Amino acid sequence: MSALALTDPDDLGRRILARLRPGRRDWMTAGLTAVLISAAGGVSALLLTLTGASPSASLNAIWTGSLANATGWTTTLLNTAPLLLVAVGACVCASAGTFNIGQEGQVLIGGLAGAWVGLRLAMPGPMLVVVVLSAAAVGGAAWAALSALMLRFRGVNVPVSTLLMTFLAIQLVTFAVSTPWVLQESVQGAGDIADAQSNALPANAQLASFGQYPSLQLNTGLFLALVATVAVALLLSRSRWGFKVRMVGLNPRTAKHAGVRVAALGGLTLALSGAFAGLAGGLLLASPVSTNRLQAGLSDNVGWDGLLVALVARNRPLAAIPVSFVFAVLRAGGDFLSATGVPSYLVDIVKALLVLAFVAPPVLVDLFQGRRGATPQAAPAVSVVPTKTGAAA
Amino acid sequence: MSVLDSTTTILASGVRLTVPLAFAACGEYLAERAGAMNISVEAMMLSAAFTSVATAGATGSATVGLVAGVMTGLVVGFVHGNLSHRAQINTFVVGLVLNALVLGLTSYLITTEQFASHQVGVLSIPLLEDIPLIGKPLFSVRWPAYLLILLIPLTWWLVERSRWGLELRAVGENPQAADVTGIKVNVRRRQALLWCGALAGLGGAYLAVGEVGSFNQNMTAGRGYIVIAAVIFGAWRLGRTMLGCLVFGLSDAMRLALPALGVTLNAQLLVAAPYLLALLAMLLFTTQHREPAALGRPFERGSA
């Protein structure tokens, strides 16, 4: 960052100053967000009270399970990495105006590809982790690329196709882990296994955890995710490629006139977001989150939650870092909460309300001021390729 | 058990599984013809299933529960419509958030509350129910199922023959032109979503106080998405959409019945069938202009 900033300090200074002086619109948005977040908190507290649980005790449980001690931090940070990866992928393709909602399936296919390679290739040392993660990314990318191809050649609506593909992915993974010759765990004479799963991947397919301070473990996956996030943020905001992507997202027709290959770029970003989701699946497989086995429950809503993270972060990769951390806190805390007797579904409600609290204000402010279409969220392009009838053109 | 008997059993269970899909698909079909891509059918069905069971438990009447389910569907349709077609938040975002919210809310509430079981009655039509093979499956079902006989033609008439439906179709095909002729595009879409909410609510309530009699966590289990798949499979025509529901209902019934009959057919393939067929249908139909041209596109005055 610093090297780039030094190239034009005046410009950077002006921009920072401009950001420090928020306009009336920003204040309204911020105020409304604060009000809605409080309302979300109020609703959650009300739900807790209505059902006889104590809001303060529940909050305390979430705190204890996520941030109060080193074990909590370890769990939270382990949860952050895959969420962040999924979210960053969603940011990339949303910047290009393509709306991928099939991350859950792409995570699973990533896990499937990773497990397939990890169980079939014998490799020495840490080589295997790299191969597993690469295979996962490729798997996720290929799954998303199918949707991109369907859009390119048959004009199929991307959100719908990625959504439907998710359900196919779930069945595909279930099939793989419950069919002996594919990836089902080989147990001598055990008969049917209740929770179908694959064999455990060899130990050298695990990502290294390091540090014991005194019991806080940092998984390599987190650093991978952070590096990827910063790289994507820089690419999107500073590179020529990122400029093209954003141009396609904001106005595909202008981009086309400017000589950008709109369809190819849209497809590429879709595949890229699939790759990130797949990588997240590989990360789940290669970190202590899973038992190092492929299961149909491997994704555990990481795909959906990652998508929500991107929504809350309003499609900005760097903003996704703190947001994914907050969501990871909720995930880790939610597990702990359920141990205290309060169902962790409460956390799902909180997450959905949080998303609304962050997504709604900018559009509501526009609505109040009677001027719409200024924010990217208000003018989403659902598909990159306009439908042939040209009704909207 | 004879072949005839087991076929009748599978057919009966297929019809039972088809009815909720058919109700919701009627609504989703109308909404999509208006250009409103409604992902929150799942939320409509699930919330309606919950409130119908809760209301039936409180009032002791399954019929009141059914009405409450329809009302809940209307509420979700109202919320979805206002967020997507008034505040102009991306309709897919709204749908996903509503689905997540309703799933969390109902799962949470059901852990803290138990409701007594209530079911609407079975209505058998004399004589007709004695027809071999199709008699029991078609003419001895829970009474709300017969509402389909009314609602399918009504939906068809609304879309294809009424003035309102003409405007809906205009809004779905070419909102700009519709706007120029004085049709309030986003108002029509919100109205379409109310119809969708009511019918999806009826479908969800039918599942809960009709077939099951109680509420289980995530009891719709993706049926809302199958409804969307059915509309796509039906190429945005009502008759074919209903046929799609029947195919998906039967494949679901087969998945449940086949193991008991000793037939092994890949369970995952049967679960995936609706989605696979919908994708294939999309591959086939989208280039033939079968889908409403403005499907899923937000409308704003003055935007190109």
Side-chain angles (χ1 to χ4, degrees):
Chain A
M1 273 304 261
S2 61
L4 286 162
L6 281 175
T7 52
D8 192 354
D10 285 348
D11 180 48
L12 186 76
R14 261 197 304 279
R15 284 203 325 210
I16 288 176
L17 276 178
R19 278 191 194 169
L20 285 177
R21 257 186 254 116
R24 183 156 165 268
R25 195 174 173 281
D26 298 320
W27 284 117
M28 279 175 76
T29 311
L32 207 56
T33 310
V35 169
L36 287 181
I37 290 178
S38 327
V43 169
S44 319
L46 187 71
L47 273 172
L48 281 166
T49 332
L50 278 180
T51 52
S54 149
S56 60
S58 303
L59 198 62
N60 198 27
I62 291 183
W63 169 258
T64 316
S66 57
L67 298 176
N69 52 47
T71 326
W73 273 92
T74 307
T75 321
T76 303
L77 292 179
L78 267 179
N79 274 309
T80 308
L83 284 175
L84 183 59
L85 278 176
V86 172
V88 167
C91 292
V92 172
C93 95
S95 301
T98 314
F99 196 51
N100 175 11
I101 55 178
Q103 278 89 353
E104 184 75 5
Q106 289 146 15
V107 168
L108 276 172
I109 295 294
L112 178 64
W116 179 278
V117 170
L119 287 172
R120 273 177 172 60
L121 292 182
M123 270 186 200
M127 265 291 282
L128 190 60
V129 190
V130 179
V131 172
V132 164
L133 289 182
S134 317
V138 170
W143 196 249
L146 286 176
S147 288
L149 289 177
M150 284 193 270
L151 171 71
R152 176 70 185 80
F153 291 106
R154 307 293 292 181
V156 173
N157 189 311
V158 167
V160 175
S161 70
T162 47
L163 180 69
L164 295 180
M165 299 270 289
T166 300
F167 299 104
L168 292 189
I170 294 170
Q171 294 311 317
L172 198 61
V173 170
T174 312
F175 171 77
V177 292
S178 51
T179 309
W181 54 270
V182 190
L183 277 178
Q184 191 182 26
E185 184 174 20
S186 46
V187 180
Q188 304 298 318
D192 276 355
I193 302 159
D195 276 332
Q197 58 183 15
S198 74
N199 280 339
L201 266 68
N204 64 342
Q206 279 276 36
L207 273 169
S209 278
F210 52 88
Q212 293 282 342
Y213 324 97
S215 57
L216 174 68
Q217 289 191 20
L218 292 174
N219 191 276
T220 335
L222 181 65
F223 295 94
L224 184 66
L226 285 173
V227 168
T229 307
V230 174
V232 165
L234 282 177
L235 261 180
L236 274 181
S237 63
R238 298 298 165 105
S239 76
R240 185 187 296 198
W241 181 81
F243 178 71
K244 282 185 191 169
V245 167
R246 283 182 292 141
M247 186 152 68
V248 169
L250 290 171
N251 194 333
R253 284 202 287 166
T254 310
K256 195 166 186 160
H257 283 300
V260 179
R261 293 174 65 205
V262 173
L265 203 61
L268 182 67
T269 54
L270 187 56
L272 207 58
S273 87
F276 276 107
L279 188 59
L283 220 59
L284 287 172
L285 197 68
S287 72
V289 177
S290 66
T291 45
N292 224 9
R293 298 158 188 275
L294 178 71
Q295 290 174 328
L298 175 83
S299 54
D300 189 26
N301 288 336
V302 160
W304 299 120
D305 280 358
L307 184 58
L308 297 184
V309 168
L311 291 177
V312 172
R314 294 188 188 137
N315 295 327
R316 287 164 301 186
L318 290 180
I321 299 176
V323 178
S324 61
F325 179 73
V326 170
F327 271 62
V329 165
L330 285 173
R331 282 179 86 91
D335 290 344
F336 194 83
L337 185 65
S338 59
T340 67
V342 176
S344 62
Y345 303 116
L346 185 79
V347 167
D348 297 332
I349 305 173
V350 174
K351 278 189 291 204
L353 289 176
L354 268 185
V355 177
L356 274 183
F358 274 94
V359 170
V363 275
L364 289 181
V365 168
D366 284 344
L367 198 65
F368 294 152
Q369 298 189 336
R371 125 186 108 89
R372 297 188 207 163
T375 54
Q377 255 127 0
V382 165
S383 63
V384 173
V385 177
T387 44
K388 275 109 243 135
T389 46
Chain B
M1 208 153 76
S2 73
V3 178
L4 191 68
D5 281 347
S6 44
T7 316
T8 310
T9 314
I10 292 182
L11 273 183
S13 114
V15 168
R16 278 200 295 273
L17 292 163
T18 303
V19 173
L21 297 180
F23 277 126
C26 269
E28 178 71 14
Y29 158 79
L30 189 133
E32 290 202 12
R33 286 304 291 268
M37 184 72 226
N38 177 26
I39 296 281
S40 58
V41 213
E42 179 79 7
M44 292 167 174
M45 293 179 80
L46 190 60
S47 58
F50 177 80
T51 50
S52 64
V53 168
T55 317
T59 61
S61 157
T63 310
V64 177
L66 207 64
V67 175
V70 175
M71 294 298 174
T72 316
L74 275 174
V75 169
V76 177
F78 178 81
V79 172
H80 182 103
N82 274 287
L83 291 178
S84 309
H85 301 290
R86 195 197 286 271
Q88 304 278 14
I89 303 175
N90 183 321
T91 186
F92 292 96
V93 173
V94 173
L96 287 178
V97 171
L98 281 181
N99 288 346
L101 185 62
V102 166
L103 180 58
L105 206 55
T106 52
S107 306
Y108 175 72
L109 289 176
I110 200 64
T111 50
T112 59
E113 198 85 40
Q114 295 296 322
F115 301 107
S117 170
H118 291 277
Q119 268 178 297
V120 292
V122 173
L123 183 65
S124 299
I125 298 176
L127 295 177
L128 285 179
E129 69 160 326
D130 297 327
I131 303 173
L133 204 61
I134 57 163
K136 282 267 181 252
L138 288 183
F139 302 109
S140 180
V141 291
R142 309 263 162 206
W143 68 261
Y146 297 111
L147 288 176
L148 272 177
I149 301 170
L150 206 71
L151 286 170
I152 295 173
L154 180 61
T155 304
W156 180 85
W157 181 83
L158 275 175
V159 172
E160 301 288 346
R161 288 291 178 269
S162 75
R163 187 193 165 83
W164 183 66
L166 182 69
E167 295 187 359
L168 276 191
R169 282 181 286 141
V171 162
E173 293 295 340
N174 194 337
Q176 278 73 25
D179 184 56
V180 169
T181 61
I183 300 168
K184 291 196 165 53
V185 173
N186 287 320
V187 174
R188 288 290 172 281
R189 285 189 178 165
R190 291 204 290 275
Q191 290 168 346
L193 283 168
L194 288 182
W195 180 258
C196 180
L199 285 190
L202 186 54
Y206 178 87
L207 197 68
V209 289
E211 296 302 343
V212 184
S214 61
F215 184 86
N216 312 314
Q217 190 228 326
N218 193 18
M219 75 181 297
T220 50
R223 282 191 175 77
Y225 300 112
I226 291 187
V227 164
I228 298 170
V231 176
I232 297 168
F233 178 75
W236 294 271
R237 296 288 174 274
L238 187 56
R240 288 183 222 177
T241 301
M242 292 299 118
L243 186 71
C245 290
L246 187 63
V247 170
F248 298 160
L250 283 175
S251 84
D252 208 12
M254 302 259 267
R255 180 178 62 84
L256 299 172
L258 287 180
L261 297 172
V263 184
T264 44
L265 226 163
N266 191 307
Q268 283 83 39
L269 193 62
L270 280 171
V271 179
Y275 308 110
L276 204 56
L277 287 175
L279 278 168
L280 288 177
M282 281 189 23
L283 284 175
L284 287 175
F285 296 144
T286 38
T287 44
Q288 299 174 14
H289 313 311
R290 298 285 183 82
E291 73 170 30
L295 185 62
R297 291 156 183 276
F299 173 77
E300 256 178 82
R301 269 230 167 118
S303 69

